[in-house]
Amino acid sequence: MKRRAVANPLALAVLCGLLLEPMHPYEMGRRLKETGKDRNIKYNRGSLYMVVEQLGKAGFIAEQETVRDTARPERTVYALTDSGRAELYDWMRELVARPEHEYPRFGVALSLLGVLAPDEAAALLGERLTALDREAADIRADTAAAKEQGVLWVFLIEEDYRLALLEAEHRFVTALIDSLKAPEYARAWRAVFEEGET
Amino acid sequence: MKRRAVANPLALAVLCGLLLEPMHPYEMGRRLKETGKDRNIKYNRGSLYMVVEQLGKAGFIAEQETVRDTARPERTVYALTDSGRAELYDWMRELVARPEHEYPRFGVALSLLGVLAPDEAAALLGERLTALDREAADIRADTAAAKEQGVLWVFLIEEDYRLALLEAEHRFVTALIDSLKAPEYARAWRAVFEEGET
DNA sequence: GGGGTCATGTAATAGGTTACATGATTCT
DNA sequence: AGAATCATGTAACCTATTACATGACCCC
């Protein structure tokens, strides 16, 4: 199966934006930040111009006109092509229906947790718990505020998802701390990692 | 706060590997795959040689000797330096104690879910559920097998973590499907996305 | 003894991030 | 008026991934 011509998620956001109406790159970026989608789609201007160029080459979007507003730099307005629209839907379908293997940072930490002494690991995980709490509180506050403003729930599910993951991680870490504190583990750990050292 | 000289998680795995004993890059890679750590730390040979070079430049590891085994290509054996050991612990501590903002693929999908018609979205999410089940089953089978072989639980927690996330996502998706099926949503969606089109 | 694949690296390319540049607008 | 910030893009630099290369061993 051949890869997508443009793989960066930011490109998907661009296609999605252009579904509504043609616009110039900077405007896409502005909306991304404005609607908070940049919390779930990594955004930076450099990459944006890059993917716009790539999308152009792939024929998914096309320059529509070049406006010179006097004053501002010349802005090129892009529009979605038919094949771009097709790509958008195809990509979305894949993203929704098929989980992809990912590499969360915490998974890395856990893979190598063995190198830390049990009590230190437990303490650090304690710190993580409070950080997780803070994050969750932030998300709850943000979405509550947005709901008050009348934003539809569909436009907030990403944050609900984040919350669900956060809560799951919280439970997991809590349990893990307990396991680490079991004295048999401390003994086993010392046996493995401090063989000749003490 | 200045970034780490080498940021790729693969580098952390290298430092960790060299903590046990000096070795040459290919060997590090072999062990990574062998111990299954490559499920949580993205591995490919090109990147490996890259990070080894970077780690060398940063002074975290040093060439120890160059063995010519006749036959095989010349292999360079690396060893951890003191500053490398320090970096390893510092990095691990940060990784464990501080959650980082991440961009899971499914979050992207959810951010843009609105573009899909409600019933199609629900159907696709149904597909995802079965995929999630399959993944979870695989992980359970793998860890059960490993435990039988006598692997310590600490070396399997990454997979437990994955499972926890997978289960949380499963619950989330299940609930989401229900919400999408509510007829008010279908009506609202059509109002927004098909204004003049029908 | 020719066709895989193991072991080991290097080099070419593509992708993404940071830094730089510049005119307009707004704040104090 | 000078400082900060917005609006907009380009270019330089790093990082990561793919492709290429090569000699051994292993299998029928």
Side-chain angles (χ1 to χ4, degrees):
Chain A
M1 56 190 79
K2 47 194 58 175
R3 284 251 198 316
R4 317 203 93 88
V6 190
N8 190 330
L10 190 52
L12 186 62
V14 167
L15 295 176
C16 230
L18 293 182
L19 188 61
L20 303 174
E21 57 179 323
M23 59 187 123
H24 58 98
Y26 193 90
E27 170 74 6
M28 303 172 201
R30 211 182 47 67
R31 292 197 189 185
L32 237 73
K33 286 225 295 259
E34 197 172 271
T35 59
K37 288 201 205 313
D38 64 334
R39 280 183 56 79
N40 295 276
I41 298 172
K42 198 184 327 199
Y43 166 62
N44 81 31
R45 268 215 330 296
S47 313
L48 177 60
Y49 286 97
M50 189 193 17
V51 302
V52 165
E53 189 187 322
Q54 292 169 347
L55 286 170
K57 275 189 192 140
F60 295 143
I61 67 179
E63 299 187 17
Q64 194 189 252
E65 50 173 348
T66 300
V67 191
R68 150 149 309 258
D69 206 346
T70 47
R72 346 233 130 174
E74 203 174 62
R75 295 165 306 171
T76 306
V77 175
Y78 291 86
L80 197 59
T81 65
D82 285 347
S83 93
R85 169 180 279 100
E87 174 75 359
L88 161 60
Y89 287 119
D90 186 62
W91 195 352
M92 276 301 290
R93 288 186 186 114
E94 181 185 328
L95 229 40
V96 172
R98 297 236 257 275
E100 237 178 288
H101 189 84
E102 310 216 34
Y103 299 84
R105 284 301 194 280
F106 190 47
V108 176
L110 291 175
S111 297
L112 307 174
L113 228 214
V115 301
L116 295 177
D119 51 347
E120 179 174 22
L124 293 166
L125 288 169
E127 278 185 53
R128 168 171 278 256
L129 280 185
T130 84
L132 291 175
D133 285 336
R134 219 174 322 125
E135 254 191 86
D138 285 355
I139 295 182
R140 274 189 264 267
D142 285 358
T143 57
K147 260 174 201 156
E148 294 240 334
Q149 302 250 301
V151 178
L152 271 190
W153 65 268
V154 213
F155 300 117
L156 297 171
I157 34 170
E158 326 86 275
E159 301 306 318
D160 282 356
Y161 176 59
R162 257 176 205 291
L163 260 187
L165 295 188
L166 240 30
E167 281 161 7
E169 183 174 321
H170 195 287
R171 285 191 297 275
F172 174 84
V173 171
T174 308
L176 177 55
I177 292 178
D178 274 359
S179 312
L180 288 175
K181 280 183 175 157
E184 314 92 48
Y185 175 60
R187 248 179 287 121
W189 186 83
R190 251 178 282 116
V192 177
F193 281 90
E194 291 183 345
E195 290 142 29
E197 297 184 26
T198 320
Chain B
M1 57 189 79
K2 45 195 64 181
R3 284 249 197 316
R4 317 203 94 88
V6 190
N8 190 330
L10 191 52
L12 186 62
V14 167
L15 295 176
C16 231
L18 293 183
L19 189 61
L20 303 174
E21 56 179 323
M23 59 187 122
H24 58 99
Y26 193 92
E27 169 74 7
M28 303 172 200
R30 211 180 48 68
R31 294 196 187 184
L32 236 72
K33 287 226 294 261
E34 197 172 270
T35 58
K37 288 201 205 313
D38 64 334
R39 280 183 56 79
N40 296 277
I41 297 172
K42 196 179 335 196
Y43 166 63
N44 81 30
R45 266 215 331 295
S47 312
L48 177 59
Y49 286 98
M50 191 196 13
V51 302
V52 164
E53 189 188 321
Q54 292 169 347
L55 286 171
K57 275 188 191 142
F60 295 143
I61 66 178
E63 300 188 17
Q64 194 188 249
E65 49 171 348
T66 300
V67 190
R68 153 150 305 259
D69 204 345
T70 46
R72 346 236 131 171
E74 203 174 61
R75 295 164 307 171
T76 306
V77 176
Y78 290 86
L80 196 61
T81 65
D82 285 347
S83 94
R85 167 180 279 102
E87 174 74 359
L88 161 60
Y89 288 119
D90 185 61
W91 195 351
M92 275 301 290
R93 287 183 187 119
E94 180 185 329
L95 228 41
V96 171
R98 297 235 258 275
E100 236 178 290
H101 189 84
E102 309 216 34
Y103 299 84
R105 285 302 194 283
F106 190 46
V108 177
L110 291 174
S111 297
L112 307 172
L113 227 214
V115 301
L116 295 177
D119 50 347
E120 181 176 21
L124 293 167
L125 288 169
E127 280 184 53
R128 168 172 278 257
L129 280 185
T130 84
L132 290 175
D133 285 336
R134 218 174 322 124
E135 254 191 86
D138 285 355
I139 295 181
R140 275 189 263 266
D142 285 357
T143 56
K147 260 174 202 155
E148 294 241 332
Q149 303 250 299
V151 178
L152 270 191
W153 66 268
V154 214
F155 299 117
L156 296 171
I157 34 170
E158 326 87 274
E159 301 305 318
D160 282 355
Y161 176 60
R162 259 175 204 291
L163 260 187
L165 294 187
L166 239 29
E167 281 160 8
E169 183 174 322
H170 196 287
R171 286 191 296 275
F172 174 84
V173 171
T174 307
L176 177 55
I177 293 179
D178 273 359
S179 313
L180 288 175
K181 280 185 175 156
E184 316 92 49
Y185 175 61
R187 248 180 286 120
W189 185 84
R190 252 179 280 114
V192 177
F193 282 91
E194 291 183 344
E195 290 142 28
E197 296 184 28
T198 322

